Amino acid sequence: MAKPTQAHISKMISKRESPFLRDRTLKQTEYYMGAKLLEVGVDPNKGVIYRWKTIDKGPKEEWVYSAYWGESRAKIEAEEASAD
């Protein structure tokens, strides 16, 4: 079975939330991603790139936090380099 080379966490949050709660949600999501990476045997501080994406859902937003390593990291970096 192939090892994963990316992980994603999504959260729905109201656009009306206070800056404090939005910031806390962001920090919690980053913490959970680190735990998720450790779970699959990836050091969250080495060789991993992270990307945030926000999707408008009317009165709410969906925040997607993604981590890429190995082949997925190389692919993302190549796509970003060619987009510049």
Coordinates of all heavy atoms in Angstrom, one line a residue:
M1 N 0.8 -1.2 0.0 CA 0.0 0.0 0.0 C 0.9 1.3 0.0 O 1.8 1.3 0.8 CB -0.9 0.0 1.2 CG -1.9 1.1 1.3 SD -2.9 0.8 2.8 CE -4.1 2.0 2.5
A2 N 0.6 2.2 -0.9 CA 1.4 3.4 -1.0 C 1.2 4.3 0.3 O 0.1 4.4 0.8 CB 0.9 4.2 -2.2
K3 N 2.3 4.9 0.7 CA 2.2 5.8 1.8 C 1.6 7.2 1.4 O 1.9 7.6 0.3 CB 3.6 6.1 2.4 CG 4.2 4.9 3.1 CD 5.5 5.3 3.7 CE 5.6 4.7 5.1 NZ 6.8 5.2 5.8
P4 N 0.8 7.8 2.2 CA 0.3 9.1 1.9 C 1.4 10.2 1.8 O 2.4 10.1 2.5 CB -0.7 9.4 3.0 CG -0.2 8.6 4.2 CD 0.4 7.4 3.6
T5 N 1.2 11.2 1.0 CA 2.1 12.3 0.9 C 1.4 13.6 1.0 O 1.9 14.7 0.7 CB 2.8 12.2 -0.5 OG1 1.9 12.3 -1.5 CG2 3.7 11.0 -0.6
Q6 N 0.1 13.6 1.5 CA -0.6 14.8 1.8 C -1.7 14.5 2.9 O -2.1 13.4 3.0 CB -1.2 15.4 0.6 CG -2.1 14.5 -0.2 CD -2.5 15.2 -1.5 OE1 -3.4 16.0 -1.5 NE2 -1.9 14.8 -2.6
A7 N -2.1 15.6 3.6 CA -3.1 15.5 4.6 C -3.9 16.8 4.5 O -3.3 17.9 4.3 CB -2.6 15.2 5.9
H8 N -5.2 16.7 4.8 CA -6.1 17.9 4.8 C -7.0 17.9 6.0 O -7.5 16.8 6.4 CB -6.9 17.9 3.5 CG -6.1 17.7 2.3 ND1 -5.4 18.7 1.7 CD2 -5.8 16.6 1.5 CE1 -4.8 18.2 0.6 NE2 -5.0 16.9 0.5
I9 N -7.3 19.1 6.5 CA -8.3 19.2 7.6 C -9.1 20.4 7.2 O -8.6 21.5 6.8 CB -7.6 19.5 8.9 CG1 -6.8 18.4 9.4 CG2 -8.7 19.9 10.0 CD1 -6.0 18.6 10.7
S10 N -10.5 20.3 7.3 CA -11.3 21.4 6.9 C -12.2 21.7 8.1 O -12.6 20.8 8.9 CB -12.2 21.1 5.7 OG -13.1 20.0 6.0
K11 N -12.5 23.0 8.3 CA -13.4 23.5 9.3 C -14.3 24.5 8.7 O -14.0 25.3 7.9 CB -12.5 24.3 10.4 CG -11.5 23.5 11.1 CD -12.0 22.8 12.3 CE -10.9 22.1 13.0 NZ -11.2 21.6 14.3
M12 N -15.6 24.5 9.2 CA -16.6 25.5 8.9 C -16.6 26.5 10.0 O -16.6 26.2 11.2 CB -17.9 24.9 8.7 CG -18.1 23.9 7.5 SD -17.9 24.7 5.9 CE -19.5 25.5 5.8
I13 N -16.6 27.8 9.6 CA -16.6 28.9 10.6 C -17.5 30.0 10.1 O -17.5 30.3 8.9 CB -15.2 29.3 10.9 CG1 -15.2 30.3 12.1 CG2 -14.5 29.9 9.7 CD1 -13.9 30.5 12.8
S14 N -18.3 30.6 11.0 CA -19.1 31.7 10.6 C -18.3 32.9 10.3 O -17.3 33.2 11.0 CB -20.1 32.0 11.8 OG -20.8 33.2 11.5
K15 N -18.7 33.7 9.3 CA -18.0 34.9 9.0 C -18.2 36.0 10.0 O -17.4 36.9 10.1 CB -18.5 35.4 7.6 CG -18.1 34.6 6.4 CD -18.7 35.2 5.2 CE -18.4 34.3 4.0 NZ -19.0 34.9 2.7
R16 N -19.1 35.8 10.9 CA -19.4 36.7 12.0 C -18.6 36.5 13.3 O -18.7 37.2 14.2 CB -20.9 36.7 12.4 CG -21.8 37.2 11.3 CD -23.2 37.1 11.7 NE -24.0 38.0 10.9 CZ -25.3 38.2 11.1 NH1 -25.9 37.6 12.1 NH2 -26.0 38.9 10.3
E17 N -17.8 35.4 13.3 CA -17.1 35.0 14.5 C -16.1 36.2 14.8 O -15.6 36.8 13.9 CB -16.3 33.7 14.3 CG -17.1 32.5 14.3 CD -17.8 32.2 15.6 OE1 -17.4 32.8 16.7 OE2 -18.7 31.4 15.6
S18 N -15.8 36.3 16.1 CA -14.9 37.4 16.5 C -13.4 37.0 16.0 O -13.1 35.9 15.8 CB -14.9 37.5 18.0 OG -14.3 36.4 18.6
P19 N -12.6 38.0 15.9 CA -11.2 37.8 15.5 C -10.5 36.8 16.5 O -9.7 35.9 16.1 CB -10.5 39.1 15.5 CG -11.6 40.1 15.2 CD -12.8 39.5 15.9
F20 N -10.9 36.9 17.7 CA -10.3 36.0 18.7 C -10.6 34.5 18.4 O -9.8 33.6 18.4 CB -10.8 36.3 20.1 CG -10.4 35.3 21.2 CD1 -9.1 35.2 21.7 CD2 -11.3 34.4 21.6 CE1 -8.8 34.3 22.6 CE2 -11.0 33.4 22.5 CZ -9.7 33.3 23.1
L21 N -11.9 34.3 18.2 CA -12.4 32.9 17.9 C -11.8 32.4 16.6 O -11.5 31.2 16.4 CB -13.9 32.8 17.9 CG -14.5 32.9 19.3 CD1 -16.0 32.9 19.2 CD2 -14.0 31.8 20.2
R22 N -11.7 33.3 15.6 CA -11.1 32.9 14.3 C -9.7 32.5 14.5 O -9.2 31.5 13.9 CB -11.3 34.0 13.3 CG -12.8 34.2 12.9 CD -13.0 35.5 12.0 NE -12.5 35.3 10.7 CZ -13.2 34.7 9.7 NH1 -14.5 34.3 10.0 NH2 -12.8 34.6 8.5
D23 N -9.0 33.3 15.2 CA -7.5 33.0 15.5 C -7.4 31.7 16.2 O -6.5 30.9 15.9 CB -6.9 34.2 16.2 CG -5.4 34.0 16.3 OD1 -4.7 33.8 15.2 OD2 -4.9 34.1 17.4
R24 N -8.2 31.5 17.2 CA -8.1 30.3 18.0 C -8.4 29.0 17.2 O -7.7 28.0 17.3 CB -9.1 30.3 19.2 CG -8.9 29.1 20.1 CD -9.8 29.2 21.3 NE -11.2 29.0 20.9 CZ -12.2 29.0 21.7 NH1 -12.1 29.3 23.0 NH2 -13.4 28.8 21.2
T25 N -9.4 29.1 16.3 CA -9.7 28.1 15.4 C -8.5 27.8 14.5 O -8.2 26.6 14.2 CB -11.0 28.4 14.5 OG1 -12.1 28.6 15.4 CG2 -11.3 27.3 13.6
L26 N -7.9 28.8 14.0 CA -6.7 28.6 13.1 C -5.6 27.9 13.8 O -5.1 26.9 13.3 CB -6.3 30.0 12.6 CG -5.1 30.0 11.7 CD1 -5.3 31.1 10.6 CD2 -3.8 30.3 12.4
K27 N -5.3 28.3 15.1 CA -4.3 27.7 15.8 C -4.6 26.2 16.2 O -3.7 25.4 16.2 CB -4.0 28.5 17.1 CG -3.3 29.8 16.8 CD -3.0 30.5 18.1 CE -2.3 31.9 18.0 NZ -1.9 32.4 16.8
Q28 N -5.9 26.0 16.5 CA -6.3 24.6 16.8 C -6.1 23.7 15.6 O -5.7 22.6 15.7 CB -7.8 24.6 17.2 CG -8.0 25.1 18.6 CD -9.5 25.1 18.9 OE1 -10.4 25.1 18.0 NE2 -9.8 25.1 20.2
T29 N -6.5 24.2 14.4 CA -6.4 23.4 13.2 C -4.9 23.1 12.9 O -4.6 22.0 12.5 CB -7.0 24.2 12.0 OG1 -8.4 24.5 12.4 CG2 -7.0 23.4 10.8
E30 N -4.0 24.1 13.1 CA -2.6 23.8 12.9 C -2.1 22.8 13.9 O -1.3 21.9 13.5 CB -1.8 25.1 13.1 CG -2.0 26.1 11.9 CD -1.4 27.5 12.2 OE1 -1.1 27.8 13.3 OE2 -1.2 28.2 11.2
Y31 N -2.5 22.8 15.1 CA -2.2 21.9 16.2 C -2.6 20.4 15.8 O -1.9 19.5 15.8 CB -2.7 22.3 17.5 CG -2.5 21.2 18.6 CD1 -1.3 21.2 19.3 CD2 -3.5 20.3 18.9 CE1 -1.1 20.3 20.3 CE2 -3.2 19.3 19.9 CZ -2.0 19.3 20.6 OH -1.8 18.4 21.5
Y32 N -3.9 20.3 15.4 CA -4.4 19.0 15.0 C -3.7 18.5 13.7 O -3.6 17.3 13.6 CB -5.9 19.1 14.7 CG -6.8 19.4 15.9 CD1 -7.8 20.3 15.9 CD2 -6.5 18.8 17.1 CE1 -8.5 20.6 17.0 CE2 -7.2 19.1 18.3 CZ -8.2 20.0 18.2 OH -9.0 20.3 19.4
M33 N -3.3 19.3 12.8 CA -2.6 18.9 11.7 C -1.2 18.3 12.1 O -0.8 17.2 11.6 CB -2.3 20.0 10.7 CG -1.5 19.6 9.4 SD -2.3 18.3 8.5 CE -3.5 19.2 7.5
G34 N -0.6 18.9 13.0 CA 0.7 18.4 13.5 C 0.5 17.0 14.1 O 1.3 16.1 13.9
A35 N -0.6 16.8 14.9 CA -0.9 15.5 15.5 C -1.2 14.5 14.5 O -0.8 13.3 14.5 CB -2.0 15.7 16.5
K36 N -1.9 14.9 13.4 CA -2.3 14.0 12.3 C -1.0 13.5 11.6 O -0.9 12.3 11.3 CB -3.2 14.7 11.4 CG -3.8 13.9 10.3 CD -4.8 14.7 9.5 CE -5.7 13.8 8.6 NZ -6.7 14.6 7.9
L37 N -0.1 14.4 11.4 CA 1.1 14.1 10.7 C 2.0 13.1 11.5 O 2.5 12.1 11.0 CB 2.0 15.3 10.4 CG 1.3 16.2 9.3 CD1 2.2 17.5 9.1 CD2 1.2 15.5 8.0
L38 N 2.1 13.4 12.8 CA 2.8 12.5 13.7 C 2.2 11.1 13.7 O 2.9 10.0 13.7 CB 2.8 13.0 15.1 CG 3.7 14.2 15.3 CD1 3.5 14.8 16.8 CD2 5.2 13.9 15.1
E39 N 0.8 11.0 13.6 CA 0.1 9.8 13.5 C 0.5 8.9 12.3 O 0.6 7.7 12.4 CB -1.4 10.1 13.5 CG -2.3 9.1 14.2 CD -3.7 9.6 14.2 OE1 -4.4 9.6 13.1 OE2 -4.2 10.1 15.2
V40 N 0.8 9.6 11.2 CA 1.2 8.8 10.0 C 2.7 8.7 9.8 O 3.2 8.3 8.8 CB 0.5 9.4 8.7 CG1 -1.0 9.3 8.7 CG2 1.0 10.8 8.4
G41 N 3.4 9.2 10.8 CA 4.9 9.0 10.8 C 5.6 10.1 10.1 O 6.7 9.8 9.7
V42 N 5.1 11.3 10.0 CA 5.7 12.4 9.3 C 6.1 13.4 10.4 O 5.2 13.8 11.2 CB 4.8 13.0 8.3 CG1 5.5 14.2 7.6 CG2 4.5 12.0 7.2
D43 N 7.3 13.9 10.4 CA 7.7 15.0 11.3 C 7.2 16.3 10.8 O 7.5 16.8 9.7 CB 9.3 15.1 11.3 CG 9.8 16.1 12.3 OD1 9.0 17.0 12.7 OD2 10.9 16.0 12.7
P44 N 6.2 16.9 11.5 CA 5.6 18.2 11.0 C 6.5 19.4 10.8 O 6.2 20.4 10.2 CB 4.5 18.4 12.0 CG 4.9 17.7 13.3 CD 5.8 16.5 12.8
N45 N 7.8 19.2 11.4 CA 8.7 20.4 11.3 C 9.8 20.2 10.2 O 10.6 21.0 10.0 CB 9.4 20.6 12.6 CG 8.4 20.9 13.7 OD1 7.5 21.8 13.5 ND2 8.5 20.3 14.8
K46 N 9.8 19.0 9.5 CA 10.8 18.8 8.5 C 10.2 18.3 7.2 O 9.5 17.3 7.2 CB 11.8 17.7 9.0 CG 12.6 18.1 10.2 CD 13.6 17.1 10.6 CE 14.4 17.6 11.8 NZ 15.3 16.6 12.3
G47 N 10.5 19.0 6.1 CA 10.1 18.5 4.8 C 8.7 18.6 4.5 O 8.2 18.0 3.6
V48 N 7.9 19.4 5.2 CA 6.5 19.6 5.0 C 6.2 21.0 4.6 O 6.7 21.9 5.3 CB 5.7 19.1 6.2 CG1 4.2 19.3 6.0 CG2 6.0 17.7 6.7
I49 N 5.3 21.2 3.6 CA 4.9 22.6 3.4 C 3.4 22.6 3.7 O 2.7 21.6 3.5 CB 5.1 23.0 1.9 CG1 4.5 22.1 0.9 CG2 6.6 23.2 1.7 CD1 4.5 22.6 -0.5
Y50 N 2.9 23.8 4.1 CA 1.5 23.9 4.5 C 0.8 25.0 3.6 O 1.4 26.0 3.2 CB 1.4 24.3 5.9 CG 2.0 23.3 6.9 CD1 3.3 23.5 7.3 CD2 1.3 22.3 7.3 CE1 3.9 22.5 8.1 CE2 1.8 21.3 8.2 CZ 3.2 21.5 8.6 OH 3.7 20.6 9.4
R51 N -0.5 24.8 3.3 CA -1.2 25.7 2.5 C -2.6 25.9 3.1 O -3.2 24.9 3.5 CB -1.4 25.3 1.1 CG 0.0 25.2 0.3 CD 0.6 26.6 0.2 NE 1.8 26.6 -0.6 CZ 3.1 26.5 0.0 NH1 3.2 26.4 1.3 NH2 4.1 26.5 -0.8
W52 N -3.1 27.1 3.2 CA -4.5 27.4 3.6 C -5.3 27.8 2.4 O -4.9 28.4 1.5 CB -4.5 28.6 4.5 CG -4.2 28.3 6.0 CD1 -3.1 28.6 6.6 CD2 -5.1 27.8 6.9 NE1 -3.2 28.2 7.9 CE2 -4.4 27.7 8.1 CE3 -6.4 27.3 6.9 CZ2 -5.0 27.2 9.3 CZ3 -7.0 26.8 8.1 CH2 -6.3 26.7 9.2
K53 N -6.6 27.4 2.4 CA -7.5 27.7 1.3 C -8.8 28.1 2.0 O -9.3 27.4 2.9 CB -7.7 26.6 0.3 CG -8.7 26.9 -0.8 CD -8.6 25.9 -1.9 CE -9.4 24.6 -1.5 NZ -9.5 23.6 -2.6
T54 N -9.5 29.2 1.6 CA -10.8 29.6 2.2 C -11.8 29.5 1.1 O -11.6 30.0 0.0 CB -10.7 31.0 2.7 OG1 -9.7 31.1 3.7 CG2 -12.0 31.4 3.4
I55 N -12.9 28.8 1.3 CA -14.0 28.7 0.4 C -15.3 29.3 0.9 O -15.7 29.0 2.1 CB -14.3 27.2 0.1 CG1 -13.0 26.5 -0.4 CG2 -15.4 27.0 -0.9 CD1 -13.1 25.0 -0.3
D56 N -15.8 30.3 0.2 CA -17.0 31.0 0.6 C -18.2 30.1 0.5 O -18.5 29.5 -0.5 CB -17.2 32.2 -0.3 CG -18.2 33.2 0.2 OD1 -19.1 32.8 1.0 OD2 -18.3 34.3 -0.3
K57 N -18.9 30.0 1.7 CA -20.2 29.2 1.7 C -21.3 30.1 2.2 O -22.0 29.7 3.2 CB -19.9 28.0 2.7 CG -18.8 27.1 2.3 CD -19.2 26.1 1.3 CE -18.1 25.1 1.1 NZ -18.5 24.0 0.3
G58 N -21.5 31.2 1.7 CA -22.5 32.1 2.1 C -22.2 32.8 3.4 O -21.2 33.5 3.5
P59 N -23.0 32.5 4.5 CA -22.7 33.1 5.8 C -21.5 32.5 6.5 O -21.1 32.9 7.6 CB -24.0 32.9 6.6 CG -24.7 31.7 5.9 CD -24.3 31.8 4.5
K60 N -21.0 31.4 6.0 CA -19.9 30.7 6.6 C -18.7 30.6 5.6 O -18.9 30.9 4.4 CB -20.3 29.3 7.0 CG -21.3 29.3 8.1 CD -21.6 27.9 8.6 CE -22.5 27.9 9.8 NZ -22.5 26.7 10.6
E61 N -17.6 30.2 6.1 CA -16.4 29.9 5.3 C -15.9 28.5 5.6 O -16.0 28.1 6.8 CB -15.3 30.9 5.6 CG -15.5 32.3 5.2 CD -14.4 33.2 5.7 OE1 -13.8 33.0 6.7 OE2 -14.2 34.2 5.0
E62 N -15.4 27.8 4.6 CA -14.8 26.6 4.9 C -13.3 26.8 4.8 O -12.8 27.3 3.8 CB -15.2 25.5 3.9 CG -14.6 24.2 4.1 CD -15.0 23.1 3.2 OE1 -15.7 23.4 2.2 OE2 -14.6 22.0 3.4
W63 N -12.6 26.5 5.9 CA -11.1 26.7 5.9 C -10.6 25.3 5.6 O -10.9 24.3 6.3 CB -10.6 27.2 7.2 CG -11.0 28.6 7.5 CD1 -11.7 29.5 6.8 CD2 -10.7 29.3 8.7 NE1 -11.8 30.7 7.4 CE2 -11.2 30.6 8.6 CE3 -10.0 28.9 9.9 CZ2 -11.1 31.5 9.6 CZ3 -9.9 29.9 10.9 CH2 -10.4 31.2 10.8
V64 N -9.6 25.2 4.7 CA -9.0 23.9 4.4 C -7.5 24.1 4.6 O -6.9 25.0 4.0 CB -9.3 23.4 3.0 CG1 -8.6 22.1 2.7 CG2 -10.8 23.3 2.7
Y65 N -7.0 23.3 5.5 CA -5.5 23.4 5.9 C -4.9 22.1 5.3 O -5.4 21.0 5.6 CB -5.3 23.5 7.4 CG -3.9 23.8 7.8 CD1 -3.2 24.8 7.2 CD2 -3.4 23.1 8.9 CE1 -1.9 25.1 7.7 CE2 -2.1 23.4 9.3 CZ -1.4 24.4 8.7 OH -0.1 24.7 9.2
S66 N -3.9 22.3 4.5 CA -3.3 21.1 3.8 C -1.8 21.0 4.1 O -1.1 22.1 4.2 CB -3.5 21.2 2.3 OG -4.9 21.3 2.0
A67 N -1.3 19.8 4.2 CA 0.1 19.6 4.4 C 0.6 18.7 3.3 O -0.1 17.7 2.9 CB 0.4 18.9 5.7
Y68 N 1.7 19.0 2.7 CA 2.3 18.2 1.6 C 3.7 17.8 1.9 O 4.5 18.7 2.4 CB 2.2 19.0 0.3 CG 0.9 19.5 -0.1 CD1 0.4 20.7 0.3 CD2 0.0 18.6 -0.8 CE1 -0.8 21.2 -0.1 CE2 -1.3 19.1 -1.1 CZ -1.7 20.3 -0.8 OH -2.9 20.8 -1.1
W69 N 4.1 16.6 1.6 CA 5.5 16.2 1.7 C 5.8 15.2 0.6 O 4.9 14.7 -0.1 CB 5.8 15.6 3.1 CG 4.9 14.4 3.5 CD1 5.3 13.0 3.3 CD2 3.6 14.3 4.0 NE1 4.3 12.2 3.7 CE2 3.2 13.0 4.1 CE3 2.7 15.3 4.3 CZ2 2.0 12.6 4.6 CZ3 1.4 14.9 4.8 CH2 1.1 13.5 4.9
G70 N 7.1 14.9 0.5 CA 7.5 13.9 -0.6 C 7.1 14.3 -2.0 O 7.2 15.5 -2.4
E71 N 6.5 13.4 -2.7 CA 6.1 13.7 -4.1 C 5.0 14.8 -4.2 O 5.1 15.6 -5.1 CB 5.5 12.4 -4.7 CG 6.5 11.3 -4.9 CD 5.9 10.0 -5.5 OE1 4.7 10.0 -5.9 OE2 6.6 9.0 -5.4
S72 N 4.1 14.8 -3.3 CA 3.1 15.9 -3.3 C 3.7 17.2 -3.1 O 3.3 18.2 -3.8 CB 2.0 15.6 -2.3 OG 1.3 14.5 -2.6
R73 N 4.7 17.3 -2.2 CA 5.4 18.6 -2.0 C 6.1 19.1 -3.3 O 5.9 20.2 -3.7 CB 6.4 18.5 -0.9 CG 7.1 19.8 -0.7 CD 8.2 19.7 0.3 NE 9.0 21.0 0.3 CZ 9.7 21.3 1.3 NH1 9.9 20.6 2.4 NH2 10.4 22.5 1.2
A74 N 6.8 18.2 -3.9 CA 7.5 18.5 -5.2 C 6.5 19.0 -6.3 O 6.8 19.9 -7.0 CB 8.3 17.3 -5.7
K75 N 5.4 18.3 -6.4 CA 4.4 18.7 -7.4 C 3.8 20.1 -7.1 O 3.7 20.9 -8.0 CB 3.2 17.6 -7.4 CG 2.2 17.9 -8.4 CD 1.1 16.8 -8.4 CE 0.0 17.2 -9.3 NZ -1.2 16.3 -9.2
I76 N 3.4 20.3 -5.8 CA 2.9 21.7 -5.5 C 3.9 22.8 -5.7 O 3.6 23.8 -6.3 CB 2.5 21.7 -4.0 CG1 1.3 20.8 -3.7 CG2 2.2 23.1 -3.5 CD1 0.0 21.2 -4.4
E77 N 5.2 22.5 -5.4 CA 6.2 23.6 -5.6 C 6.4 23.8 -7.1 O 6.6 24.9 -7.5 CB 7.5 23.2 -4.9 CG 7.4 23.2 -3.4 CD 8.6 22.8 -2.6 OE1 9.3 21.9 -3.2 OE2 8.9 23.3 -1.5
A78 N 6.4 22.7 -7.9 CA 6.5 22.9 -9.3 C 5.4 23.7 -9.9 O 5.6 24.5 -10.8 CB 6.6 21.5 -10.0
E79 N 4.1 23.4 -9.5 CA 3.0 24.1 -10.0 C 3.0 25.6 -9.6 O 2.7 26.4 -10.4 CB 1.7 23.5 -9.4 CG 1.3 22.1 -10.0 CD 0.1 21.5 -9.3 OE1 -0.4 22.1 -8.3 OE2 -0.2 20.4 -9.7
E80 N 3.5 25.9 -8.4 CA 3.6 27.3 -7.9 C 4.7 28.0 -8.7 O 4.5 29.2 -9.0 CB 3.8 27.3 -6.4 CG 2.6 26.9 -5.6 CD 2.8 26.8 -4.1 OE1 3.9 26.9 -3.7 OE2 1.8 26.7 -3.4
A81 N 5.8 27.3 -9.0 CA 6.9 27.9 -9.7 C 6.5 28.3 -11.1 O 6.8 29.3 -11.7 CB 8.1 27.0 -9.7
S82 N 5.7 27.4 -11.7 CA 5.3 27.6 -13.1 C 4.2 28.7 -13.2 O 4.0 29.3 -14.3 CB 4.8 26.3 -13.8 OG 3.6 25.9 -13.2
A83 N 3.5 28.9 -12.1 CA 2.4 29.9 -12.1 C 2.9 31.3 -12.0 O 2.3 32.3 -12.4 CB 1.4 29.7 -11.0
D84 N 4.2 31.5 -11.5 CA 4.8 32.8 -11.4 C 5.2 33.4 -12.7 O 5.5 32.9 -13.6 CB 6.0 32.7 -10.4 CG 5.5 32.5 -9.0 OD1 4.3 32.8 -8.7 OD2 6.3 32.0 -8.2

